[in-house]
Amino acid sequence: MVGIVSGLVLLAVGLMLGYRFGRKHSETAGIAMSQDERERVLQMLQELGAWTNEYSGNVSQYQSRLGELSNEVRVDAQSTQSAPKVIALLKQIMDSNEQLQTRLESAERQLDKQTKQIESYLTEARTDALTGLHNRRAFDQKLDETFATFRKGGRSFALALVDIDHFKSFNDTHGHQVGDQVLQQVAKLLQLELDDAIIVARFGGEEFAILMSVPLQIAADKMNKVRKTMASHQIDLGTKPLSVTISVGVSEPRDDLVASPVVRRADEALYAAKNIGRNRVYYHDGKGTCLVGAPEVAKG
């Protein structure tokens, strides 16, 4: 029974930390709970606490009674009254143990169900349903966290904003189902090519956002390689393969007090990439936007 109680406690506390049975959940790792989510988990822990307190109380009661009986036996070794009392108490313990075992097993099943529901809720709250990437909420939280670490003297980072070129034409020409498939394929490629990124997220619509723990120029060069891979990759939709290109804007934190200027500079770089002709990468060095590579390379 102690094993069941211990397992329940570890399960519940593990959920609070973003783990379960020692396995880290990538969907929730490093992302803070909202107040509502925290209250739901705390309620579950309180319910668990009620079960464990009842169990602990019964154990303490039995230990105290057994101690009294042990003293009786030591005081009067010839007593014929102690044995029946011991037998009666042991029977009471066994009966109570069976009842608690049944109730704790029921509680474990209920807790497991609640745990899965909360895990599902936390995952859905931070995941884009269409692409499977982190959503805007998760990205904003991770950006704030990463920026706060930087402000405290931690490692710098780069932010890349990615926009699918002429995405509206995919929806208008081929329908929204094809547009959804394009989004899914672009998301898949970004995940594959940027598997060492801090976070890859769907920023909204046909736009994606990536945080990388590398300097600005390295991040810009890396995103240019991703751009070239995308341009050379055809998306097979079962009918006619489609060619998709992306425009990218990259920035990094400077002497900013908040994270929003980092996003603004990346957005300015992205606007420059799209305004000049798309299918290219621009970065913002804090003074202005700069094209990655020579113009003729950027077109290819």
Side-chain angles (χ1 to χ4, degrees), residues 157-194:
F157 63 93
L159 163 64
L161 294 180
V162 177
D163 191 272
I164 301 175
D165 296 329
H166 304 293
F167 180 73
K168 186 175 182 297
S169 66
F170 291 116
N171 285 331
D172 294 344
T173 304
H174 305 283
H176 288 281
Q177 184 175 359
V178 170
D180 287 348
Q181 289 179 288
V182 170
L183 286 168
Q184 291 169 336
Q185 291 298 317
V186 171
K188 184 177 180 181
L189 187 141
L190 290 175
Q191 277 187 307
L192 181 64
E193 296 294 323
L194 302 168

